[in-house]
């Protein structure tokens, strides 16, 4: 059972144990076990825990002990987003064997030896790493500075393209790698020359950053996910884009005097233009729908009416295509065919379709907000398509008039 944890403990030499205590931190979002199973080289034994989570038993001497938590006081957790209640697993904060565990200070050193650190591969050459930290640093998840160790502790890179891979381990995750100049090179260590840029303006789609004079190519880093929509320019000159640490936005600044870097998100303008066009189409549709229809009296008026009707139909279809794309147009085609088939009941069918689609979309949003976004969008398109179908011609053109005239000539 995934909800019942099992701990396997071992020691270099056998030790005697006569008690176990399971400590659960107050407020821990987990169920609490009321019994433990102990296995030390034989069949497991089931022991009930006291109110403080402890149990005493006949002393056993072993170098391996398997402790399992069982018979939990089950707890449930309510997720307000999915509106679902799920079962919580059994939690444990600390396991004490034979008495309280000795408390280690936060300043106690912790050494990650050479064979335990991440391995860095530079152009196929493996470099092992080690690290030094403290108990407090580990509990606070402070970043570690890895040091090369073992054979080949440094890798000198010649001019050209190189490949660097730093693989994470089960314990440590590699977040960044910094390439440094050699002690005899100019410029010192790159990490020491990092400095914050002077932000002039920082918006969602438009940003301005002032940079200082540079004697060499410099990297401007924006700690956000790379996005091809962002472009940068310095004094009108487009800057080359590069990914930093695999995910951050980076721009190469050529050597030169200080200036202002303009960062712009191009798709934002197109998105706003599309929204404006869509809003204009909806407004036009509403205005045309509000204009009372009049029966044409002359041929010129009938021609003007046909032109207005055609313009209205094209505007409605274009607006739906802008909102729903190919899917929206396909839904409109199906709804229009059904409306034409309904004949005199056309308007009743379209009204009922609009109301039902919107009602179903609202019901899905209230009852199943997760996992139904696609269905809700399709229902919204159905409702819009029903409205648009209301301004399209009610029936396909027929040949009744020409046939009648032809019969009249034949007589």
């Amino acid at each position: 059972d995934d909800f019942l944890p099992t701990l396997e403990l071992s020691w270099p030499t056998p030790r005697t144990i006569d008690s176990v205590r399971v400590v659960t931190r107050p407020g821990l979002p987990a169920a609490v076990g009321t019994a433990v199973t102990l296995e030390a080289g034989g069949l497991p034994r089931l022991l009930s825990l006291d109110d403080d989570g402890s149990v005493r038993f006949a002393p056993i001497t072993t170098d391996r002990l398997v402790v399992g938590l069982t018979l939990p006081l089950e707890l449930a957790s309510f997720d307000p987003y999915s509106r679902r209640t799920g079962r919580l697993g059994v939690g444990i904060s600390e396991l004490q064997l034979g008495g309280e565990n000795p408390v280690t200070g936060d300043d106690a050193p912790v050494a990650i030896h050479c064979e335990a650190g991440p391995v860095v591969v530079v152009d196929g050459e493996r470099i092992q790493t080690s690290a030094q930290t403290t108990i407090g640093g580990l509990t606070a998840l402070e970043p570690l500075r890895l040091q090369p160790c073992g054979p080949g502790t440094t890798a000198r890179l010649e001019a050209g393209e190189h490949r660097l891979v730093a693989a994470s381990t089960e314990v440590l995750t590699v977040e960044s790698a910094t390439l440094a100049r050699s002690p005899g090179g100019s410029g010192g260590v790159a990490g020491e020359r990092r400095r914050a840029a002077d932000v002039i303006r920082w918006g969602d789609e438009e940003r301005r950053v002032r940079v200082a004079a540079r004697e060499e190519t410099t990297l401007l880093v924006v700690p956000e996910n790379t996005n091809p929509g962002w472009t940068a320019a310095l004094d009108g000159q487009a800057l080359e884009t590069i990914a930093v640490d695999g995910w951050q936005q980076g721009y190469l600044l050529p050597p030169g005097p200080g200036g202002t870097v303009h960062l712009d998100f191009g798709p934002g303008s197109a998105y706003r233009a599309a929204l404006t066009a869509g809003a204009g189409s909806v407004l036009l549709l509403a205005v045309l729908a509000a204009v009372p229809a009049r029966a044409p009296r002359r041929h010129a008026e009938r021609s003007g009416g046909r032109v207005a009707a055609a313009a209205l139909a094209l505007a409605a279809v274009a607006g739906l295509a802008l909102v729903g794309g190919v899917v929206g147009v396909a839904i409109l085609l199906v709804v229009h065919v059904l409306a034409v088939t309904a004949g005199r009941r056309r308007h009743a069918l379209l009204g009922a379709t609009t109301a039902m689609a919107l009602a179903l979309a609202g019901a899905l949003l209230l009852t199943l907000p997760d996992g139904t976004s696609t269905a809700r969008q399709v229902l919204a398109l159905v409702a819009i398509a029903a409205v648009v179908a209301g301004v399209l011609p009610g029936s396909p053109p027929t040949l009744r008039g020409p046939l009648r005239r032809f019969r009249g000539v034949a007589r």
Side-chain angles (χ1 to χ4, degrees):
D1 194 336
D2 295 337
F3 290 88
L4 300 177
T6 300
L7 306 176
E8 183 175 349
L9 310 175
S10 61
W11 303 270
T13 58
R15 58 180 297 185
T16 301
I17 302 171
D18 61 356
S19 66
V20 169
R21 185 187 178 201
V22 179
V23 180
T24 303
R25 176 173 53 83
L28 183 69
V32 179
T34 62
V36 294
T37 58
L38 299 180
E39 180 182 355
L43 295 177
R45 293 184 293 173
L46 179 62
L47 303 174
S48 298
L49 297 175
D50 295 336
D51 294 338
D52 62 349
S54 63
V55 60
R56 300 190 67 87
F57 47 85
I60 57 176
T61 302
T62 181
D63 61 353
R64 179 181 175 274
L65 181 66
V66 179
V67 182
L69 273 70
T70 185
L71 302 179
L73 300 173
E74 294 188 1
L75 293 178
S77 175
F78 176 73
D79 187 352
Y81 296 99
S82 62
R83 298 180 179 273
R84 296 179 180 178
T85 301
R87 175 186 171 190
L88 291 177
V90 178
I92 177 174
S93 302
E94 184 180 355
L95 181 64
Q96 299 176 359
L97 302 178
E100 294 186 3
N101 297 329
V103 179
T104 304
D106 290 343
D107 57 348
V110 176
I112 300 176
H113 300 291
C114 194
E115 62 275 5
V119 176
V120 180
V121 181
V122 181
D123 295 336
E125 181 181 353
R126 294 169 56 88
I127 302 176
Q128 295 179 319
T129 61
S130 62
Q132 296 287 335
T133 184
T134 61
I135 293 292
L138 290 178
T139 55
L141 299 180
E142 295 179 355
L144 301 178
R145 185 180 181 88
L146 300 177
Q147 298 292 338
C149 59
T153 55
T154 59
R156 298 187 178 274
L157 306 179
E158 302 295 337
E161 181 177 344
H162 301 273
R163 181 175 180 83
L164 184 147
V165 178
S168 302
T169 67
E170 295 181 355
V171 179
L172 299 177
T173 300
V174 178
E175 292 186 348
S176 64
T178 301
L179 302 180
R181 298 182 183 275
S182 59
S186 61
V189 180
E192 298 176 352
R193 298 187 305 153
R194 291 184 177 181
R195 58 179 179 269
D198 185 12
V199 177
I200 301 175
R201 179 178 179 181
W202 197 264
D204 294 335
E205 299 178 2
E206 183 181 2
R207 298 166 180 176
R208 301 292 180 263
V209 178
R210 183 173 299 279
V211 295
R214 304 159 307 282
E215 297 181 356
E216 58 185 356
T217 301
T218 306
L219 186 62
L220 175 64
V221 180
V222 178
E224 294 181 1
N225 289 330
T226 57
N227 190 321
W230 281 103
T231 58
L234 175 61
D235 296 333
Q237 179 183 357
L239 300 179
E240 181 182 353
T241 304
I242 187 172
V244 179
D245 293 338
W247 66 277
Q248 299 182 91
Q249 301 176 25
Y251 306 96
L252 294 180
L253 302 173
T260 301
V261 177
H262 294 243
L263 299 120
D264 297 287
F265 187 70
S269 301
Y271 178 71
R272 288 192 300 272
L275 289 180
T276 303
S281 300
V282 173
L283 180 61
L284 176 63
L285 178 61
V287 171
L288 294 176
V291 175
R294 292 181 298 176
R297 289 183 250 181
R298 295 191 299 272
H299 177 72
E301 293 179 352
R302 289 198 298 268
S303 301
R306 293 192 186 99
V307 172
L312 175 60
L314 289 177
V317 174
L320 181 61
L322 183 64
V323 174
V326 178
V327 177
V329 175
I331 294 176
L332 173 62
L333 178 62
V334 174
V335 173
H336 180 56
V337 171
L338 294 176
V340 171
T341 305
R344 295 181 178 180
R345 300 178 181 177
R346 171 190 179 194
H347 295 292
L349 174 64
L350 294 178
T353 301
T354 303
M356 291 182 60
L358 292 178
L360 288 176
L364 290 177
L365 179 61
L366 293 176
T367 58
L368 298 173
D370 293 337
T372 61
S373 59
T374 301
R376 298 197 306 268
Q377 292 178 10
V378 171
L379 289 172
L381 286 178
V382 171
I384 298 175
V387 175
V388 173
V391 301
L392 297 181
S395 61
T398 63
L399 297 177
R400 292 180 180 178
L403 284 176
R404 290 176 178 175
R405 289 194 296 270
F406 177 75
R407 288 174 184 173
V409 173
R411 290 176 184 173

